[in-house]
Structure formats: C-alpha cells, structure tokens
Amino acid sequence: MSQPRSGPTVALRCFGADLRRRREAAGMTLQSVAEKIKKDRATPARWENAETVPNPRMVGVLLDLYETPADERTEVLRALAEAKKPGWWHPWREVAEVGVIDLESAATSIRSYAPGVLPDLLQTTEYAEALMSLRNPYEDPAVRRLRLELLEARKEHTIGSAGDDGNGDERASLWVLLEEATLRRRVGGPGVMARQLDYLEARIADVRSSVAIQVIPPRVPHPLAISLCGHLEILRFKEFGMGERLIQIGLHPSMTLITDDSDAVENYRMAVDVTSGFAPPRFTPLPLTSKDLG
C-alpha cells in the first residue's frame, strides 16, 4: 500500500517529479498508467504530486511500464528509500510549518526581505519568544517551548551558528534585506533588542559566514516597498527539477503563500536585486548598535 505522509519532503517531491518525467517520456497518460496497474487515476497522480509514496514493488511495475534502463533502476529505488524518510523536523511536526521548513532546509540559497520584524533564521531565542508572546499571549507554554526548540534546530540545520567554519556542512547561503525600521522596532524590551543587535553584528562581522545582511536606509523608495509585498523569501535548490520557490510569509501559517510560478519568482527576484542596490553593501555595520538603545 502507499504510505501517507505528515508532509512532503523535497526528496519526495523530486521523486514524484522523476516519475512524472519518465511517464511522459514513455508517452503514457495518468489514465493509461492507472489502467495498466489496475488502480484509479488518482493513485499515480498522488505519487507524482508527492502526496503518497508507492512501495518498491509498485515502483518496479512503473519502471517496467516506462521501459526504464536497468542501470537507472537502482538509482530510482535509492531515491525512493530517501523519499520515504521523514524530514529532520518530524519530532516538531505538530508545531512546524512543514512546507516552508522543508523547502528552507533543502535550499542552497535563501534571499529574504523583512520589512516588519526580523526573519526567523536571524532571531535570537529571546527575540523569537517575545514575538510569540505578542502573537499569541495565551499559548500553552509547552507548545511555545517546542516552537523555540524548532527555531534553534532550523537555524543550526540551515545556516549554522555564528562563527561556524562550515567544514563538512552543506549550509544555505542567506542574504537578507532589512528595513532600518525593523531594527528600531523594539521587540521584548531594550535588553532583548540589545542582544539581538549584538547577534546581528556578529553575523555581519564574520567573513566566513554564509549570511549576508543589508540594511535599507529610511525614506528610500524601492520596488519592494512600493509593492507593499510584506515579508518574502526566494529559495533556490540544487536538486534537478526543483525550480525556485517564492514564499510570502503571512501573519498565520494558513496565510503563507508558496509558489513556483516562474514569472512571479523572476519579478520578485528582480525587485530584490534592484532594492539591494539602495542599501550599503555586505559587512557594513548596522546603522545602530546595542549602545544606542540606552
């Protein structure tokens, strides 16, 4: 039987896309495949859309239908085994935005624009907890602890700790455009903000870091501000068949939008490129420090 998932991983998406390519190359439709394997049309569609995982025997049947060369079959079955593994975030699945986190974790580069508050991957635990308190002051403390644990795991998994040399790790490069107002917006009080600014300064000063931060001066018109787009991320992947993704972060997970529409991605990428030209370059110190907070 197919195995239901708590959420698709990038490995599962890539596996499904590979099945689709092989079917199309064989000149078969979903309906014709379904008739051959004596299933309804929705079954192979779910496999290709990464909604469920076929078992190895059924994959063998599909590979026979698609006349897959013998030397490729082992690789396909290896990809199947990888696709069946749960994401690293599985222990926190009850509080995780699975779609966003798995894409983020598999990305080779993340470009972010943060006009309101700092993006998750640059937040200290104190800053993050203060934000959570503002968003949901009545949240169960146990649930909040899980969210904070997940955040620390996300940061370590995706960009590593400040001062990491990155040896042996495949960390994503993170390029963040911040509005200066974001730094001046006090979240959690002066002490929390002071330590947050110190953390950002450490990231900026670290020449080995894969994190780049640019701060857009106030009162500077630029494409992203004019479009009122809110917090967004553009993700790029190394996996074949995984196009770039645009993520527009909403106030609630249900309001977050993810698209691989090439026109949308390209338009926002161009806007990010243009906007970066209005900000001082990487390694420029922040326009305010923890001492400026009083």
Side-chain angles (χ1 to χ4, degrees):
M1 293 180 63
S2 300
Q3 300 178 13
R5 307 287 296 184
S6 59
T9 62
V10 166
L12 182 55
R13 289 187 180 96
C14 290
F15 181 78
D18 184 50
L19 287 182
R20 181 182 297 110
R21 284 193 297 272
R22 293 178 186 278
R23 173 180 60 77
E24 292 173 347
M28 299 187 72
T29 65
L30 286 170
Q31 184 61 42
S32 63
V33 170
E35 291 171 358
K36 290 286 186 181
I37 64 176
K38 295 179 170 53
K39 304 281 186 181
D40 59 69
R41 183 183 180 280
T43 297
R46 285 194 293 267
W47 295 335
E48 293 184 4
N49 293 329
E51 296 172 13
T52 57
V53 189
N55 61 44
R57 183 191 65 79
M58 184 55 69
V59 171
V61 172
L62 294 176
L63 295 180
D64 288 340
L65 284 176
Y66 304 156
E67 299 182 351
T68 303
D71 59 346
E72 295 181 18
R73 296 174 73 97
T74 299
E75 182 61 24
V76 173
L77 291 173
R78 185 205 62 77
L80 171 64
E82 188 66 26
K84 291 169 69 176
K85 295 178 181 178
W88 67 265
W89 35 259
H90 195 68
W92 296 279
R93 61 192 178 280
E94 293 181 4
V95 297
E97 292 182 56
V98 172
V100 171
I101 291 176
D102 188 64
L103 289 172
E104 168 190 279
S105 301
T108 55
S109 73
I110 303 171
R111 303 174 71 176
S112 177
Y113 169 63
V117 296
L118 293 171
D120 291 356
L121 294 176
L122 287 184
Q123 294 175 10
T124 64
T125 302
E126 288 181 301
Y127 183 101
E129 186 170 18
L131 275 181
M132 291 177 190
S133 297
L134 288 171
R135 288 169 175 161
N136 189 354
Y138 305 110
E139 185 173 52
D140 185 333
V143 173
R144 185 168 298 166
R145 283 194 296 272
L146 282 177
R147 294 188 192 281
L148 293 171
E149 287 176 10
L150 174 59
L151 175 62
E152 291 306 307
R154 283 173 65 192
K155 291 193 294 185
E156 179 58 34
H157 191 277
T158 308
I159 61 173
S161 304
D164 260 350
D165 60 14
N167 289 335
D169 292 326
E170 294 187 9
R171 298 272 166 70
S173 63
L174 175 64
W175 172 20
V176 179
L177 288 170
L178 298 175
E179 295 286 356
E180 186 173 319
T182 300
L183 301 177
R184 298 186 180 278
R185 181 170 292 109
R186 293 195 179 186
V187 174
V192 171
M193 284 304 301
R195 287 182 286 276
Q196 176 67 70
L197 292 178
D198 287 342
Y199 173 81
L200 295 178
E201 283 287 12
R203 283 290 191 180
I204 289 172
D206 184 1
V207 296
R208 299 172 300 174
S209 176
S210 61
V211 176
I213 300 172
Q214 290 182 272
V215 180
I216 306 165
R219 296 182 296 279
V220 171
H222 57 79
L224 294 174
I226 293 171
S227 67
L228 300 176
C229 62
H231 186 169
L232 66 85
E233 294 180 347
I234 301 172
L235 286 67
R236 179 174 295 175
F237 310 89
K238 67 178 180 181
E239 285 80 3
F240 178 73
M242 277 292 292
E244 290 180 299
R245 295 295 196 277
L246 169 67
I247 301 178
Q248 293 180 281
I249 310 295
L251 181 63
H252 185 272
S254 63
M255 301 169 66
T256 293
L257 302 177
I258 302 175
T259 181
D260 60 355
D261 180 85
S262 58
D263 289 337
V265 173
E266 177 65 18
N267 286 335
Y268 277 100
R269 190 193 313 112
M270 290 175 61
V272 167
D273 287 341
V274 172
T275 300
S276 69
F278 290 99
R282 180 181 182 180
F283 302 123
T284 301
L286 296 177
L288 71 159
T289 67
S290 56
K291 295 179 182 178
D292 297 324
L293 297 176

